[in-house]
Amino acid sequence: MSQSITQALLINHWISGTIVETGSGRTGPVWNPATGQQIAEVNFATVEDVDLAVAAAKAAYPGWRATPLSRRSEILFKLRNLIETNRERLVEIISTENGKTIADARGEVARGLENIEFACGIPALLKGGYSEQVSTGVDVYQLRQPLGVVVGITPFNFPAMVPMWMFANAIACGNTFVLKPSEKVPSASLLLAELARQAGLPAGVFNVVQGDKVAVDCLLAHPDVRAVSFVGSTPIAKVIYETATRNGKRVQALGGAKNHMLVLPDADVDAAADAAVSAAYGAAGQRCMAISVIVAVGSVADPLVDAIRQRIAKIKVGPGLDKRSEMGPLITRQQRDRVASFLESATAEGATLAVDGRKNAATPGDGFFLGASLVDNVTPGTRCYDEEIFGPVLSIVRTQAYADALAIINDNPYGNGTAIFTQNGGAARQFQFDVEVGMVGINVPIPVPVSYYSFGGWKSSLFGDLHMYGPEGVQFYTRSKVVTSRWPDPGTSKVDLGFPQVR
Ligand code: NAD
């Protein structure tokens, strides 16, 4: 991979196996959140650029679709190995543009790679069903075939993993792919595209268009696009779902979250505090599976708040690329200021600021840092509870009984992830039965499913039917065809105008 791809001052598109520079004149800034400095400009695609990318994907589709499964699998194996070989390069790009720590970026790449490993098994995953002798001399079988050109639109918080959630299965199934990454973190996708080329992926199978709403709107309306996968905030997910389905496309649009961790009085307080701090403040709270609310039942609240406060004091906030840092900056200055504003409004709305991150942030230079905050006595109906904050702010809601805690979680409009901390297996099982959330952890705070299950929330955290990656990903990127077949013995052939029935 040449240095120019990710260190260019102007970051471009990847179309038909190569970097494509176009001159829309519209660009956006790319920041290093740890320094607060602008490090590049990213080119924003025009309608013509998007047309070019979709045309490249469309042209590549017949050849890719006809490529044997074992050959597709071989390319994915090579891509997997190339990503592993280039892991530290990718990690550095992610950390520089997103701000997350090296350890966190390594975790992101590892969880993304899982999806490529899953997709390497595509020959087994695409096996259909076969019923012999459904009628005399008649067999029926089901095939799964690709859709054509499919699109991925991804958020800033996982610049490599979320694209891998999508394109690994999409291309393994025989589709060709156009990715529109977040304009805040445009470079990781270009490295992935270059590695895919090195792995032997034919030109046009994987394309990247950089840009904003103009590019997205064009993709959603494009007659040659068959399906759209989206991950991002709920308001945009809803618009994407409504627009793309109106245009006849298959859509899965994953939205935002407000993930609750229910802590029962019998929970181990130290273990629950360790889990809460890791899940609330990792990636500075910018994970869709971050814990943002603890619902503490009964007597556990006081010792838990104390234990979390003690742990927050030890978190090392600093630049992601500094190996000593445990928590990096937020993605932009505006987002840092927006998150800080919740600390202002929370106290005005009656909550207690147990730890104020505006005071405890080590803020080297002009980076977009904010320390970890803990807000106690938060109640539903306040801004701090109702909105997705997407920063290092953990709220504590106090309740007296399991039923009250469950009602709070089930009444929340989001339903991405949740967790229960308890030593009582029966209580955990009841929670798993009762809770209206798509991904549940039992003494596990960030229950992101492994790649051979599928990822997706409920309610306002997902618009569409199928979850992302894993078996549902394969289902999303294929359509089924059922063949009824008969190879008659000419000697038994006759005219029969009756409706076909089993004989
Ligand atoms: P975002 O919704 O602002 O942007 C996501 C993508 O949509 C980007 O590529 C962006 O360029 C594009 N976009 C933004 N505004 C648009 C518009 N008006 N029209 C068309 N396209 C538009 O999200 P973000 O800030 O990049 O990411 C953070 C959000 O993503 C959080 O809400 C987080 O919870 C969510 N998220 C969800 C999951 C999940 O799996 N459910 C995973 C990661 C992030």
Side-chain angles (χ1 to χ4, degrees):
M1 154 120 199
S2 76
Q3 293 284 303
S4 62
I5 289 178
T6 52
Q7 294 182 353
L9 281 181
L10 186 62
I11 298 167
N12 279 296
H13 319 295
W14 178 278
I15 299 173
S16 219
T18 187
I19 290 283
V20 171
E21 195 174 326
T22 55
S24 72
R26 282 194 327 115
T27 61
V30 179
W31 301 91
N32 177 337
T35 62
Q37 303 298 309
Q38 186 181 336
I39 48 175
E41 292 274 329
V42 57
N43 227 338
F44 282 177
T46 57
V47 169
E48 291 73 29
D49 298 331
V50 172
D51 283 345
L52 203 64
V54 174
K58 190 179 178 188
Y61 176 62
W64 182 241
R65 199 208 141 179
T67 302
L69 292 174
S70 53
R71 173 70 186 136
R72 288 187 220 158
S73 181
E74 188 187 340
I75 291 170
L76 286 161
F77 266 117
K78 281 194 184 138
L79 175 58
R80 186 229 166 265
N81 291 345
L82 280 165
I83 293 174
E84 193 169 75
T85 313
N86 287 273
R87 185 194 302 254
E88 291 311 302
R89 181 98 203 278
L90 190 54
V91 161
E92 192 183 325
I93 291 170
I94 293 170
S95 181
T96 304
E97 292 185 356
N98 168 284
K100 66 176 69 177
T101 63
I102 295 273
D104 201 28
R106 284 188 184 137
E108 161 170 3
V109 174
R111 294 306 302 265
L113 268 181
E114 268 184 23
N115 292 278
I116 299 191
E117 288 160 2
F118 176 80
C120 287
I122 199 65
L125 295 167
L126 281 185
K127 275 166 54 182
Y130 198 107
S131 301
E132 188 183 41
Q133 196 74 349
V134 299
S135 184
T136 306
V138 178
D139 302 335
V140 174
Y141 47 96
Q142 188 204 20
L143 314 170
R144 295 213 71 91
Q145 297 190 333
L147 307 175
V149 178
V150 300
V151 162
I153 301 162
T154 52
F156 78 80
N157 65 331
F158 287 105
M161 183 184 77
V162 172
M164 285 191 257
W165 281 3
M166 299 174 181
F167 78 75
N169 286 317
I171 63 176
C173 290
N175 302 284
T176 53
F177 196 84
V178 179
L179 173 67
K180 205 303 282 174
S182 165
E183 65 276 30
K184 299 186 179 93
V185 290
S187 298
S189 314
L190 293 181
L191 179 54
L192 291 171
E194 165 62 24
L195 296 176
R197 186 191 66 75
Q198 288 177 22
L201 196 71
V205 176
F206 180 51
N207 307 277
V208 181
V209 287
Q210 310 285 1
D212 60 354
K213 188 175 178 340
V214 170
V216 172
D217 286 348
C218 182
L219 288 166
L220 300 184
H222 203 294
D224 292 330
V225 169
R226 298 278 172 259
V228 177
S229 297
F230 172 89
V231 174
S233 59
T234 287
I236 308 296
K238 194 160 183 286
V239 171
I240 300 277
Y241 181 77
E242 288 170 354
T243 312
T245 50
R246 201 181 316 122
N247 290 331
K249 303 184 195 319
R250 186 179 288 198
V251 187
Q252 50 179 185
L254 277 60
K258 194 84 182 179
N259 304 313
H260 297 66
M261 172 169 155
L262 196 167
V263 185
L264 289 181
D266 73 338
D268 181 296
V269 169
D270 283 327
D274 286 341
V277 168
S278 312
Y281 306 118
Q286 299 172 109
R287 292 181 185 137
C288 61
M289 290 292 274
I291 291 292
S292 50
V293 181
I294 287 182
V295 191
V297 177
S299 58
V300 80
D302 283 338
L304 188 60
V305 167
D306 276 350
I308 292 173
R309 197 191 275 120
Q310 285 166 23
R311 284 161 176 77
I312 289 177
K314 294 182 191 149
I315 296 174
K316 294 186 195 73
V317 180
L321 287 172
D322 181 337
K323 289 196 172 62
R324 290 164 301 182
S325 303
E326 293 173 305
M327 189 175 107
L330 283 103
I331 186 71
T332 57
R333 181 169 285 119
Q334 292 85 335
Q335 176 61 359
R336 192 261 317 272
D337 296 345
R338 178 183 165 273
V339 174
S341 78
F342 283 92
L343 304 173
E344 201 72 52
S345 58
T347 43
E349 289 181 310
T352 322
L353 219 44
V355 180
D356 185 345
R358 293 169 298 184
K359 293 183 185 146
N360 70 4
T363 49
D366 288 326
F368 312 141
F369 292 95
L370 182 67
S373 297
L374 184 64
V375 190
D376 199 358
N377 298 304
V378 172
T379 49
T382 58
R383 184 172 168 250
C384 193
Y385 179 82
D386 291 349
E387 287 187 32
E388 181 185 34
I389 299 176
F390 221 55
V393 177
L394 176 60
S395 298
I396 308 277
V397 175
R398 293 175 179 239
T399 59
Q400 285 316 311
Y402 166 80
D404 306 329
L406 179 73
I408 287 171
I409 300 174
N410 283 351
D411 285 348
N412 194 282
Y414 295 105
N416 213 40
T418 189
I420 184 167
F421 276 69
T422 179
Q423 301 192 47
N424 180 334
R429 188 183 179 281
Q430 189 62 43
F431 180 70
Q432 158 198 310
F433 184 82
D434 291 334
V435 77
E436 291 170 18
V437 171
M439 292 170 283
V440 179
I442 295 176
N443 297 315
V444 172
I446 311 184
V448 174
V450 286
S451 64
Y452 37 97
Y453 285 80
S454 298
F455 182 109
W458 286 11
K459 302 188 275 187
S460 296
S461 295
L462 175 95
F463 301 88
D465 308 301
L466 290 172
H467 289 192
M468 205 159 277
Y469 71 72
E472 293 191 43
V474 171
Q475 213 179 325
F476 181 79
Y477 290 122
T478 53
R479 53 187 164 176
S480 112
K481 183 182 275 179
V482 178
V483 181
T484 303
S485 149
R486 179 161 167 251
W487 296 98
D489 172 355
T492 64
S493 177
K494 63 176 173 126
V495 172
D496 180 356
L497 300 189
F499 193 67
Q501 56 181 298
V502 173
R503 287 170 207 276

